[in-house]
Amino acid sequence: MNQQTAIIIGGGMAGKLIAAAISPYFNRVEILEKDQYPGNNSTVRAGVTQGNHIHALLHAGDHALETLFPGFKQDMVSRGSIIINSTEDLAWYHHGVWKMRFKGNDTTLLQTRPLLESYIDDRVNLIPNIHYTYGIRVLAYSYQSDKDVINGVEVLENDEQKHLKADIVIDASGSSSLTKAWLEKQDRSVPEETVEIGLCYATRQFQLPVQPREFKIKLIYPEAPSQTIGGTLSMVEDDKYIVTLIGYLNSLNPADVRSDQGFLEQAAKLPLPDLYQELVNGSSLTETKIFKVPQIKWRRFDKIKLPEGLLVAGDSICRIDPVFGQGMSIAALEALAIGEFFSEASRLGSLKKLQKKLAKIVAPVWSMVLCEDFRYPGVKGKKPFGLRFQQWYVKRIFQQSAVNRPIYQDFIKVMNLTGSALILFKPSTIKAVFKTKV
């Protein structure tokens, strides 16, 4: 196995984590990134359109990164990440109630995306058989049709077209992935689930005159369907705060939040005045950064026969609603699953099982996201079977999270991808749910 070469398309978070996970099992791992080298640790790469916005890690993501890079959490804190108690330092207004606050056993990190990505870059660069090429664009797969095998990629580098050989190619290039279009040229239709959500993020960094004492991150979610705009205020490194306003169904107009005053006026329209009250005496450090997600998609590569030697991962499979903060953690869990697959035996040419395993990581998250997004009648897409009951039940779980500690602790495990949704169906939980008054 360690005599093989792997190519990873995409040098973002998923690509780097996958490279680290598989590096013990390949002689050479090539990461191909279309963006130019960002230049310094504070710069957001052009291809990371969400890079200016909040990036808190879920517990599953924390655990996965600690597995891939031992000492990760301690190192990040030394670089400036803010470590928080997940239930004590988080103030979360959700479905019309504040969730419980107590000192629990779980912690997580708050930081900017450049700080997190620069650390992962540094750790990946220490792995001698991983090679990183910036400014290179993958044009197509190199395909041996008689054997139905991918054996490399065709690339464009410095205006020169080249062929790069590989024993396996992993597409982690993101939502603009070439794989679906390339497969369809080979007469292989890829099923795709698409949901139109019209989401817009607007983010600024602030300094506050007084550090809030009662929280380190505050989330105010809109209550569908009557409210469409919410927001987050999060402490990050260097005594700064990232403030993000979110709007569904195109309800947040970028033109309205470009100016300092416009941003504050929109913050004042949130379901509660908390964020506005913190910001009104603060100082904005940046211009407003906009990030739009018109639709979310799940490309079902697990449902078709892919050519041997090809695997698809990360946002190339599924672009999830970023409001729930699960994208990076999904990528980290996928990286661990891919690494585990190659650790067990020589399995080149038998990736179908692994592609299905990645789909199983995505499936429960996709279900959770659709449950919430479809609370808006204007969201367009295929609704899953049993959606109305799921929404009814989940809303009562949310409400119980304000008063019932065991239920909230189980809910935290599900949301942080460390527990199955089945734990929300304990007899005691079902009993509490059916007693909940709306």
Side-chain angles (χ1 to χ4, degrees), residues 11 16 116-126 132 134:
K16 284 180 278 211
L116 177 61
E117 194 153 3
S118 67
Y119 173 79
I120 292 174
D121 276 340
D122 290 346
R123 291 296 295 261
V124 169
N125 289 336
L126 293 175
Y132 211 118
Y134 285 97

Side-chain angles (χ1 to χ4, degrees), residues 5-23 26-37 45 69 117 120-138 153 155 157 164-166 168-173:
T5 297
I7 284 178
I8 298 174
I9 307 173
M13 195 66 71
K16 284 180 278 211
L17 297 181
I18 293 168
I22 68 173
S23 61
F26 287 84
N27 183 54
R28 185 178 180 87
V29 179
E30 293 272 3
I31 302 176
L32 308 181
E33 171 53 51
K34 68 180 186 303
D35 284 349
Q36 298 296 325
Y37 183 70
R45 285 191 295 110
F69 308 114
E117 194 153 3
I120 292 174
D121 276 340
D122 290 346
R123 291 296 295 261
V124 169
N125 289 336
L126 293 175
I127 303 174
N129 63 327
I130 296 179
H131 303 268
Y132 211 118
T133 304
Y134 285 97
I136 187 169
R137 186 159 66 93
V138 177
V153 291
V155 301
E157 184 180 19
L164 301 180
K165 292 183 178 180
I168 180 173
V169 179
I170 302 175
D171 176 13
S173 58

Side-chain angles (χ1 to χ4, degrees), residues 16-207:
K16 284 180 278 211
L17 297 181
I18 293 168
I22 68 173
S23 61
Y25 316 112
F26 287 84
N27 183 54
R28 185 178 180 87
V29 179
E30 293 272 3
I31 302 176
L32 308 181
E33 171 53 51
K34 68 180 186 303
D35 284 349
Q36 298 296 325
Y37 183 70
N40 62 70
N41 290 346
S42 63
T43 302
V44 175
R45 285 191 295 110
V48 187
T49 52
Q50 73 277 30
N52 293 289
H53 309 278
I54 186 170
H55 282 82
L57 281 166
L58 302 181
H59 299 156
D62 263 350
H63 300 161
L65 287 170
E66 191 69 40
T67 299
L68 291 170
F69 308 114
F72 160 74
K73 185 172 284 190
Q74 183 177 343
D75 289 347
M76 286 299 296
V77 172
S78 69
R79 291 189 177 207
S81 289
I82 309 300
I83 190 166
I84 67 167
N85 186 282
S86 300
T87 48
E88 184 178 41
D89 297 321
L90 167 65
W92 186 1
Y93 185 78
H94 190 204
H95 279 276
V97 296
W98 287 102
K99 298 199 182 298
M100 298 185 73
R101 303 278 297 279
F102 57 90
K103 190 174 183 65
N105 297 321
D106 294 311
T107 61
T108 192
L109 300 175
L110 307 175
Q111 64 276 302
T112 61
R113 172 70 177 250
L115 180 66
L116 177 61
E117 194 153 3
S118 67
Y119 173 79
I120 292 174
D121 276 340
D122 290 346
R123 291 296 295 261
V124 169
N125 289 336
L126 293 175
I127 303 174
N129 63 327
I130 296 179
H131 303 268
Y132 211 118
T133 304
Y134 285 97
I136 187 169
R137 186 159 66 93
V138 177
L139 304 174
Y141 292 110
S142 177
Y143 178 53
Q144 190 174 349
S145 58
D146 58 329
K147 294 185 178 180
D148 193 27
V149 171
I150 299 293
N151 55 24
V153 291
E154 305 297 328
V155 301
L156 186 66
E157 184 180 19
N158 298 324
D159 297 323
E160 180 183 353
Q161 190 164 333
K162 303 176 183 178
H163 168 69
L164 301 180
K165 292 183 178 180
D167 300 286
I168 180 173
V169 179
I170 302 175
D171 176 13
S173 58
S175 57
S176 60
S177 159
L178 63 84
T179 301
K180 183 175 184 292
W182 184 88
L183 286 169
E184 288 175 348
K185 287 182 180 178
Q186 316 302 318
D187 295 322
R188 302 189 198 209
S189 179
V190 180
E192 184 176 78
E193 298 179 38
T194 302
V195 179
E196 306 283 342
I197 62 174
L199 179 67
C200 178
Y201 267 33
T203 295
R204 282 181 172 235
Q205 288 190 22
F206 281 79
Q207 279 189 331

Side-chain angles (χ1 to χ4, degrees), residues 227-287:
Q227 300 167 349
T228 56
I229 297 178
T232 301
L233 187 152
S234 173
M235 181 184 291
V236 293
E237 65 270 16
D238 301 325
D239 296 320
K240 298 176 183 177
Y241 291 81
I242 286 184
V243 181
T244 296
L245 305 180
I246 61 170
Y248 283 98
L249 297 175
N250 304 304
S251 59
L252 187 62
N253 185 347
D256 294 338
V257 292
R258 294 289 185 189
S259 68
D260 292 18
Q261 186 61 32
F263 194 92
L264 287 176
E265 289 174 356
Q266 288 299 313
K269 295 180 180 179
L270 267 58
L272 294 177
D274 296 49
L275 266 59
Y276 172 79
Q277 291 170 352
E278 296 287 351
L279 301 180
V280 69
N281 295 317
S283 301
S284 180
L285 303 174
T286 64
E287 297 179 343

